[in-house]
Amino acid sequence: GILLRIFMRKPLDVLYRGIDRVTKGDYSYLFEEVHYRELSGIATRFSEMAAEIQIRENSLQALNRELQQEIKDRKVAEEALQESKKRFQEVTENMKEVFWFYDLTEQKVIYVSPAYEKIWGRSIENLYQRYHEWYESILPEDLNYAKETFAKILKSETGLQREYRIVRPDGAIRWISDRGVPI
């Protein structure tokens, strides 16, 4: 047992130091000082394992750099989108004209500018909830015309200019001139 400890101490110390270096991230350690056949096999396999760990770590670092760049790119895109939304809101809130986006698939208004409330005298929220409120606001004599021209707008590539009258909640009648364009 004493001879075994004497002969094994140096190779085991070399293995221990090598394991410690690999644990700390030094994957280049080759265990060259180990010459005993049994320990040499262990040292060789440990060197191979350290090389595999180095390859995987390099791959993970490259992926991490890619992810960091993607995060930066997304932040830039998100900031640009927020700036675009802000400009869109500033423009639409200061326009005197009404415009809206209508989703044909969902059959609902997805955006209407604030001027709608001033011109129609009706709530934007109600229009979002009940698009038929728009039809209800049209003077009965102009309703068929408005419906027919809306159908023509949907088939048109360039849009259509039209005029019709609405009745505001206070009873006032207003002429509306609009242009619908399918997008």
Side-chain angles (χ1 to χ4, degrees):
I2 294 175
L3 284 176
L4 186 59
R5 270 192 239 149
I6 292 172
F7 287 112
M8 298 301 287
R9 182 176 190 148
K10 183 179 178 192
L12 289 174
D13 284 345
V14 169
L15 283 174
Y16 179 76
R17 283 193 311 272
I19 290 169
D20 190 46
R21 288 176 67 176
V22 168
T23 302
K24 293 178 181 173
D26 179 4
Y27 304 112
S28 63
Y29 191 71
L30 297 177
F31 302 93
E32 293 172 345
E33 300 174 42
V34 178
H35 300 290
Y36 297 99
R37 190 172 62 131
E38 293 83 9
L39 293 178
S40 179
I42 292 171
T44 300
R45 181 62 191 125
F46 204 82
S47 293
E48 291 168 357
M49 184 176 67
E52 289 174 22
I53 291 171
Q54 178 69 52
I55 290 168
R56 289 181 184 166
E57 184 175 293
N58 290 344
S59 176
L60 288 173
Q61 288 174 349
L63 283 171
N64 188 37
R65 284 189 298 274
E66 289 175 21
L67 287 172
Q68 292 297 326
Q69 186 60 46
E70 186 175 326
I71 289 169
K72 286 178 187 176
D73 293 346
R74 285 184 182 207
K75 284 182 179 178
V76 167
E78 190 174 307
E79 289 170 1
L81 177 62
Q82 292 304 320
E83 182 63 29
S84 178
K85 283 181 179 180
K86 181 181 171 187
R87 276 190 242 125
F88 176 81
Q89 187 175 5
E90 287 173 358
V91 167
T92 60
E93 286 180 359
N94 292 300
M95 291 178 68
K96 293 181 181 176
E97 293 82 16
V98 176
F99 76 94
W100 58 48
F101 298 115
Y102 181 77
D103 186 327
L104 287 171
T105 307
E106 298 291 324
Q107 295 288 304
K108 68 178 188 175
V109 175
I110 55 176
Y111 179 81
V112 62
S113 62
Y116 174 81
E117 290 183 347
K118 292 177 186 168
I119 294 173
W120 260 259
R122 298 173 188 269
S123 161
I124 290 173
E125 289 305 315
N126 287 347
L127 185 64
Y128 285 140
Q129 295 169 7
R130 291 186 58 245
Y131 178 68
H132 291 295
E133 182 178 284
W134 177 75
Y135 286 126
E136 293 166 4
S137 70
I138 297 174
L139 200 67
E141 296 87 40
D142 294 351
L143 185 57
N144 283 336
Y145 169 77
K147 286 181 178 181
E148 289 170 7
T149 54
F150 183 68
K152 287 180 183 178
I153 288 170
L154 298 178
K155 294 176 184 173
S156 166
E157 290 184 16
T158 58
L160 180 67
Q161 182 80 29
R162 63 193 181 153
E163 292 182 353
Y164 53 89
R165 294 168 291 176
I166 63 166
V167 179
R168 293 172 43 96
D170 63 7
I173 295 176
R174 285 215 172 147
W175 276 96
I176 300 295
S177 174
D178 77 17
R179 177 168 184 77
V181 181
I183 299 176

